[in-house]
Amino acid sequence: MILTEKETNAIEDLKTQEQACIEKYTKYSNQAKDPVLKELFEEIARDEQKHFDSLDQVIKGKVPSVDCNDSKGKNYNPAATYDSLGNSEDKKADCYLATDCIGTEKLVQNCINF
């Protein structure tokens, strides 16, 4: 696979965004108080690493294998744990992390759909 300069630059930009997401979600995993949210951020960071690795393969001229029928989100049903935490400040902090994560994903998705 041979990419044009414009395609290469676009993919490099996407790699930069993916790297930022990996770092953000790893940091958020360390900051999250809720164990279920902590685990979710870890999983999202791993998924972002897979996206980064796929883009790196494309830059190297390889066609990565991808799972276009991913249904993890469809079947995701986390257990509520805030009743046991009881700290509303922890809940507010985790709410910020989750809200920022959703906003980041929407932003990155919009950049991919240009």
Side-chain angles (χ1 to χ4, degrees), residues 34-51:
D34 179 83
V36 174
L37 187 59
K38 180 182 283 294
E39 183 179 315
L40 179 61
F41 283 132
E42 289 170 359
E43 183 176 338
I44 294 171
R46 285 190 299 270
D47 288 345
E48 297 296 348
Q49 183 65 55
K50 289 176 188 174
H51 299 160

Side-chain angles (χ1 to χ4, degrees), residues 1-16 55-56 58-61 114:
M1 172 174 37
I2 299 173
L3 302 172
T4 66
E5 183 179 346
K6 186 175 181 179
E7 291 168 330
T8 301
N9 289 338
I11 293 170
E12 287 294 348
D13 287 345
L14 290 173
K15 280 180 57 180
T16 300
L55 291 169
D56 199 43
V58 171
I59 290 290
K60 293 175 181 174
F114 63 90

Side-chain angles (χ1 to χ4, degrees), residues 32 50-51 60 63 69 71-72 77 85-87 96 105:
K50 289 176 188 174
H51 299 160
K60 293 175 181 174
V63 178
N69 297 315
S71 62
K72 287 190 297 187
N77 190 16
L85 287 177
N87 185 336
Y96 170 82
E105 288 300 312

Side-chain angles (χ1 to χ4, degrees), residues 23-93:
E23 292 170 11
K24 176 184 268 192
Y25 301 144
T26 299
K27 182 183 287 188
Y28 281 10
S29 173
N30 293 327
Q31 293 175 356
K33 305 297 184 202
D34 179 83
V36 174
L37 187 59
K38 180 182 283 294
E39 183 179 315
L40 179 61
F41 283 132
E42 289 170 359
E43 183 176 338
I44 294 171
R46 285 190 299 270
D47 288 345
E48 297 296 348
Q49 183 65 55
K50 289 176 188 174
H51 299 160
F52 180 90
D53 294 343
S54 293
L55 291 169
D56 199 43
Q57 288 181 16
V58 171
I59 290 290
K60 293 175 181 174
K62 299 177 183 175
V63 178
S65 63
V66 293
D67 179 8
C68 295
N69 297 315
D70 183 16
S71 62
K72 287 190 297 187
K74 177 181 164 186
N75 300 321
Y76 185 68
N77 190 16
T81 58
Y82 278 106
D83 289 340
S84 63
L85 287 177
N87 185 336
S88 65
E89 289 304 312
D90 287 349
K91 185 175 180 178
K92 286 179 188 176

